[in-house]
Amino acid sequence: MKAIEIKPNIFWVGAIDWAVRDFHGYITPNGTTYNNYLINDKKLTLIDTVKHEFCNATIGNIKNIVDLSNIVNIVINHIEPDHASSIDLIMKLVPDATIYITERGKKGLDRHYDTSKWNFKIVKTGDTLNTGKYNLLFLETPMLHWPDSMVTYVKEAKLLISQDAFGQHMATAARFDDEFIECASTGELEDAVVDYYANILMPFGQLIKTKIEEIVKLGLEIDMIAPDHGVIWRKDPGKILKMYLDMAGGKADLRVAIIYDTMWHSTENMTIPIMEGIKDEGVDCRIIKLRSTPMSIAIKEFWKARGCLTGTPTINNVMFPSIAEFLYHLAGLRPKNRIVSAFGSFGWGGGGVKEAFELFKRMGLEIVEPGIQCQYKPSPEDETKCYEFGRSFAMKVKEYHKKF
Ligand code: FEO
């Protein structure tokens, strides 16, 4: 897709990856984009690069605007390869350019490339760069998304170039939020924001709040937020900031996600009466079978709901493998502000549900013990108990939900 001017003499020069469906294990049914930006000012400045395979796309976009060899500054906001893995090719074309990057970012590039002949300018929060008419301000955002991360604010354009933050994995012809909303179904873009946040940024909620508060305290006027993935927020950048603050503050729907797997349908057969009990307490419920669901979608469904019930059969005295994978993955995302319990079937010794609780405890989530178990196959009496368990859990979810 050709370059687009997003502010006077500031261009999107990125690439659209329509085909990617697996982004380091994260399912991306809508593809993604690798956004980078060119400031065509007295000192020609490139902000971020793109994924290596798309280097020719960004080079072509740049060449359609200017003579690429005139680039004198390259800002690297984030070194993850989806943004920085074209840097070696770009540096072959402009070997005298200066790279503006955080100290940790430089260490990362040093590990990936032979940087011995590259010019670096290490920057930290508050440092600035004048490109002619524009003044750039750098703000470090460690762990958003990696330790090296920073964002770049272009003062005269009221533009925040935010790397991963506020992004979405969404390949679309629309480059701006208002273009997207005009031609797509309602809620699709917001769902992509939640999906991205749940799978990438869930561990960093407190940091996000702190950074947004820091930006507010600095009094930076922002009328456009340009992330490194997905659409650019120009219609209402306040909306995406509020969405992030809400999610960081623990916002969730009054809903229970039942996330389960099953061997011979016993655990599966427990889900329906549990769901009926939840529904009869006036709480929404979704049932997600892990074996049929990509992990990142299960994570998103967990994140959207205030409560989660994990259903696991016991196999060899431990959790079912897909449930173990899900819970270990979830533990790494350090979820907060959710209430959880577990259920499942067993043949003789049991142990799967116990393990699920152990992991939930390690995560520090609000836990409702002891969950519910049945031997071999749920009997009619077991189904009644499952229904009551669903009702009882839903009541606790409603009570817990009042805190937010
Ligand atoms: Fe889109 Fe953390 O990279």
Side-chain angles (χ1 to χ4, degrees):
M1 187 168 183
K2 64 185 179 188
I4 289 174
E5 191 170 27
I6 64 168
K7 287 278 186 179
N9 294 313
I10 302 179
F11 294 83
W12 174 90
V13 288
I16 301 182
D17 191 346
W18 302 96
V20 66
R21 293 291 178 269
D22 180 339
F23 191 94
H24 61 45
Y26 172 170
I27 299 301
T28 49
N30 300 310
T32 194
T33 74
Y34 313 108
N35 301 336
N36 61 336
Y37 303 94
L38 181 75
I39 300 181
N40 186 11
D41 208 350
K42 192 171 170 192
K43 293 176 187 161
L44 191 59
T45 300
L46 181 66
I47 300 188
D48 294 321
T49 73
V50 294
K51 194 176 177 183
H52 187 268
E53 298 94 291
F54 293 85
C55 190
N56 283 340
T58 196
I59 286 173
N61 279 339
I62 295 167
K63 282 182 172 172
N64 282 338
I65 302 165
V66 293
D67 179 352
L68 185 142
S69 66
N70 289 331
I71 289 176
V72 291
N73 302 315
I74 300 173
V75 175
I76 295 291
N77 281 321
H78 179 27
I79 62 162
E80 195 164 4
D82 50 330
H83 307 296
S85 57
S86 293
I87 188 66
D88 55 338
L89 292 174
I90 300 270
M91 287 305 286
K92 283 190 177 98
L93 301 172
V94 285
D96 295 328
T98 299
I99 297 173
Y100 290 74
I101 192 167
T102 63
E103 188 169 1
R104 285 166 166 159
K106 178 179 181 303
K107 280 183 184 163
L109 287 192
D110 289 345
R111 298 288 298 176
H112 283 88
Y113 309 104
D114 177 5
T115 60
S116 55
K117 294 194 171 70
W118 296 359
N119 303 314
F120 285 98
K121 168 78 177 158
I122 303 299
V123 296
K124 52 190 184 323
T125 293
D127 287 347
T128 57
L129 168 65
N130 176 268
T131 61
K133 287 185 180 151
Y134 285 120
N135 286 288
L136 279 50
L137 169 69
F138 304 115
L139 297 168
E140 290 170 280
T141 57
M143 295 319 298
L144 299 175
H145 162 229
W146 277 9
D148 59 281
S149 297
M150 68 174 184
V151 297
T152 299
Y153 176 67
V154 188
K155 186 179 169 201
E156 291 75 11
K158 299 180 184 174
L159 168 67
L160 182 69
I161 297 175
S162 61
Q163 42 99 16
D164 277 337
F166 313 116
Q168 334 89 49
H169 285 313
M170 176 63 77
T172 164
R175 292 278 52 78
F176 296 99
D177 52 352
D178 49 303
E179 292 175 344
F180 183 90
I181 289 163
E182 278 168 19
C183 64
S185 58
T186 309
E188 193 181 358
L189 186 57
E190 284 184 21
D191 190 67
V193 171
V194 174
D195 186 59
Y196 188 90
Y197 186 100
N199 280 283
I200 305 281
L201 298 172
M202 192 195 298
F204 311 121
Q206 189 51 48
L207 284 169
I208 286 165
K209 278 175 77 173
T210 305
K211 276 294 151 191
I212 292 177
E213 282 160 11
E214 192 180 313
I215 287 169
V216 170
K217 206 181 276 182
L218 285 169
L220 304 184
E221 281 186 84
I222 296 171
D223 71 8
M224 184 181 286
I225 296 176
D228 277 4
H229 295 292
V231 301
I232 296 165
W233 303 96
R234 74 172 172 190
K235 183 185 176 195
D236 184 7
K239 182 178 167 184
I240 183 70
L241 282 168
K242 183 173 181 319
M243 274 188 81
Y244 262 58
L245 281 172
D246 285 348
M247 288 190 285
K251 186 179 177 187
D253 295 331
L254 181 55
R255 178 191 295 167
V256 173
I258 298 178
I259 298 175
Y260 79 100
D261 216 326
T262 198
M263 288 175 70
W264 293 106
H265 303 294
S266 293
T267 299
E268 187 163 60
N269 289 339
M270 296 172 79
T271 63
I272 300 301
I274 291 173
M275 177 273 291
E276 295 281 7
I278 292 166
K279 177 178 168 285
D280 285 353
E281 274 302 317
V283 175
D284 187 20
C285 184
R286 298 279 167 89
I287 299 178
I288 296 117
K289 184 176 183 176
L290 263 184
R291 212 149 74 238
S292 316
T293 310
M295 182 64 65
S296 56
I297 291 178
I299 292 290
K300 177 177 70 174
E301 292 300 329
F302 168 90
W303 178 245
K304 283 160 74 173
R306 179 64 68 204
C308 175
L309 290 172
T310 297
T312 179
T314 291
I315 179 168
N316 300 324
N317 298 113
V318 297
M319 290 181 283
F320 200 67
S322 60
I323 296 293
E325 184 189 0
F326 168 70
L327 289 180
Y328 272 98
H329 190 79
L330 185 65
L333 290 166
R334 301 198 293 276
K336 289 189 176 56
N337 306 316
R338 301 297 185 274
I339 182 167
V340 294
S341 189
F343 66 96
S345 59
F346 65 98
W348 43 99
V353 167
K354 181 168 167 272
E355 272 203 326
F357 275 116
E358 283 167 5
L359 269 171
F360 282 144
K361 280 178 192 161
R362 208 196 291 175
M363 293 180 222
L365 294 168
E366 186 84 6
I367 292 169
V368 178
E369 284 192 285
I372 187 165
Q373 297 186 67
C374 76
Q375 189 167 20
Y376 284 121
K377 182 177 187 294
S379 64
E381 293 76 30
D382 287 327
E383 288 180 3
T384 302
K385 285 180 189 166
C386 284
Y387 173 84
E388 292 304 334
F389 169 69
R391 286 196 74 150
S392 158
F393 183 70
M395 282 190 262
K396 291 191 168 68
V397 171
K398 283 196 281 189
E399 200 53 39
Y400 186 66
H401 192 63
K402 288 178 188 164
K403 291 185 178 180
F404 300 92

